[in-house]
Amino acid sequence: MSPSPDFTQMWRDLEPLGRSSASGGYFRQPFTSAEREAASWFLEQCRDRGLDVTADEYGNVVAWWRPENASGAGVLTGSHLDSVLDGGAYDGPLGVVSALAAVDVLRDRGFTPARPIGVSVFVEEEGSRFGLACLGSRLLTGATTVEQARDLRDRDGVFFVDAVAEAELPAGAGRLRWADLREQVACFVELHVEQGRDLVDRDAPVGVASAIWPHGRYRFDFGGEANHAGTTRMEDRHDPMLTYAMTVLAANKQARLSGQRATFGRVDVHPNGTNAVPSRVTAWLDARAESEEHLAALVAEVERLARERAGLDGTSVVLTPESVSPEVAFDADLAKRIAGADGWPVIPTMAGHDAGILSAAGLPTAMLFVRNPTGISHSPAEHAETGDCLAGVEALAATLERLAS
Ligand code: HGY
Ligand code: MN
Ligand code: MN
């Protein structure tokens, strides 16, 4: 397969946006200049291709390839451009660039879709700034209301609604509405870099998703008593850091024992001084499990152990689920149709995606995964070989051709 100049050029264009020179990772938090630059780049690509851009009031975009005689419910494809803090280049952008490249491939082949094809970008998929994953697609579909989003703030106290109000959104924002989109498309296909090693083990460059594990984000507020690090006897302390530390170990152990996933990746300590016993530790548990029952049991057990330890430490624990996403079973017929001809493996994923939100909103949905040689993701080391990315573009183009004919 000869490399597609469209894909490689687009990849080069995006590469510097939001990349840290220190780590090589990406900081494309929603409505920051880096993420808005990436969003502008996408709009420019859409304009160059003559796509009709529609957007909602939060910055979600769908750009349409709608040839004159195209009619009926079409196909939506795309992903996101935001990243986790110090994330990789591929998580999100690969699906956006591949969608545009697939349109190019189909046009180069002289294919005219009988149904419209939409290319989408959803904002704040990672929840890296405002805490709620897939915030853009949740707002678009109504899974989260604007009233609920009003309370969301970033780490500097900036409200989501204020960040949106100050951001430069595409002209005509407001034209994109879920009720219309739901009628305009028959299905959504999101291409994504794989975030594990399943495709490596199966020796396949491309795979199709079967399901998303249920998962959630849970905030633990550990309260204690601030005191002097030198003069306070060890037995007199009420140290929330100890309760927190034991909870991290307990979560890891319980997840291992039950074959599930539990991670504390974010912590906030007050007052965060070297020579003071802290008064408060706030930490976020990311938990994922093979079923909703397993997820609930895992979180309940971590909470029980945290409370038990708090009793010993003389501290307090308050647990707040910030978001819980139920299991998503993707449309099995659609997955079979996509995987069938080429025999691509159909595999579950433990990562969340906008595709899960659209599926939960009733839109038949599928995902294509592109092999990731190390499986590393949410890290500057995330990678996919160009040959596999181009295989992904081919797979997406073939899928769009099949679904939009
Ligand atoms: O966090 C996730 O599962 C996804 O990568 N957004
Ligand atoms: Mn991600
Ligand atoms: Mn992603």
Side-chain angles (χ1 to χ4, degrees):
M1 192 187 310
S2 62
S4 156
D6 294 319
F7 178 90
T8 47
Q9 184 56 51
M10 283 191 280
W11 202 249
R12 266 201 298 273
D13 289 348
L14 267 183
E15 219 160 27
L17 306 184
R19 187 172 55 189
S20 153
S21 53
S23 68
Y26 287 87
F27 290 82
R28 291 175 180 156
Q29 277 52 68
F31 310 118
T32 60
S33 57
E35 187 261 5
R36 283 296 94 191
E37 252 186 275
S40 301
W41 170 86
F42 173 69
L43 295 176
E44 204 180 292
Q45 294 296 316
C46 292
R47 274 193 297 272
D48 289 352
R49 289 167 174 78
L51 307 181
D52 176 27
V53 172
T54 60
D56 71 1
E57 54 273 54
Y58 308 111
N60 295 307
V61 176
V62 174
W64 293 101
W65 177 19
R66 206 186 271 122
E68 217 174 301
N69 293 323
S71 64
V75 187
L76 188 65
T77 183
S79 193
H80 60 98
L81 291 169
D82 64 303
S83 74
V84 294
L85 297 165
D86 212 9
Y90 295 80
D91 179 356
L94 184 62
V96 176
V97 171
S98 298
L100 294 168
V103 166
D104 294 342
V105 165
L106 292 176
R107 284 179 166 176
D108 285 352
R109 287 186 190 150
F111 172 74
T112 306
R115 298 163 181 278
I117 293 177
V119 179
S120 58
V121 171
F122 298 108
V123 291
E124 178 65 314
E125 192 276 345
E126 298 289 4
S128 68
R129 181 165 177 194
F130 297 103
L132 186 54
C134 300
L135 180 57
S137 55
R138 283 178 196 270
L139 284 165
L140 177 67
T141 58
T144 295
T145 63
V146 66
E147 283 70 36
Q148 290 165 329
R150 261 184 229 295
D151 292 336
L152 298 175
R153 274 193 266 193
D154 69 9
R155 293 164 205 232
D156 298 320
V158 177
F159 282 100
F160 167 70
V161 284
D162 293 335
V164 174
E166 276 169 32
E168 201 179 317
L169 299 182
R175 270 176 75 208
L176 174 62
R177 308 225 154 268
W178 176 245
D180 300 332
L181 187 62
R182 186 63 194 84
E183 291 196 350
Q184 287 162 340
V185 295
C187 58
F188 176 54
V189 182
E190 179 172 0
L191 179 146
H192 205 278
V193 67
E194 203 205 349
Q195 296 171 289
R197 290 176 40 84
D198 209 337
L199 294 177
V200 175
D201 295 343
R202 292 167 193 266
D203 197 21
V206 174
V208 179
S210 57
I212 298 180
W213 273 23
H215 55 283
R217 297 180 180 193
Y218 308 83
R219 193 180 77 234
F220 281 74
D221 288 294
F222 302 96
E225 184 181 71
N227 216 329
H228 195 286
T231 58
T232 317
R233 286 197 298 256
M234 298 309 281
E235 58 273 29
D236 288 346
R237 298 176 181 212
H238 302 290
D239 185 349
M241 189 69 95
L242 289 182
T243 322
Y244 158 68
M246 197 292 303
T247 306
V248 174
L249 297 177
N252 184 279
K253 183 173 174 184
Q254 293 309 314
R256 283 168 181 270
L257 286 175
S258 59
Q260 317 303 329
R261 310 276 157 89
T263 309
F264 276 95
R266 179 180 169 195
V267 62
D268 185 29
V269 181
H270 187 79
N272 210 14
T274 306
N275 56 352
V277 175
S279 60
R280 175 178 55 73
V281 174
T282 302
W284 284 261
L285 169 69
D286 177 312
R288 308 186 188 217
E290 64 193 285
S291 73
E292 286 161 33
E293 293 71 33
H294 282 90
L295 180 63
L298 173 63
V299 175
E301 187 57 7
V302 175
E303 183 184 11
R304 188 186 71 74
L305 292 164
R307 290 194 187 289
E308 193 176 279
R309 177 71 201 203
L312 298 175
D313 293 333
T315 55
S316 61
V317 181
V318 177
L319 169 59
T320 310
E322 291 195 335
S323 71
V324 182
S325 303
E327 178 176 12
V328 171
F330 288 117
D331 190 293
D333 289 337
L334 189 57
K336 214 185 292 166
R337 228 178 131 194
I338 293 172
D342 299 273
W344 294 317
V346 181
I347 55 175
T349 177
M350 293 83 206
H353 300 282
D354 293 313
I357 303 298
L358 269 58
S359 173
L363 183 65
T365 295
M367 290 192 75
L368 282 165
F369 291 130
V370 170
R371 177 166 55 192
N372 172 340
T374 60
I376 291 178
S377 186
H378 285 187
S379 150
E382 182 180 84
H383 186 67
E385 297 294 341
T386 303
D388 286 352
C389 294
L390 296 177
V393 171
E394 279 295 328
L396 184 59
T399 298
L400 297 178
E401 185 170 355
R402 230 172 284 155
L403 297 174
S405 288

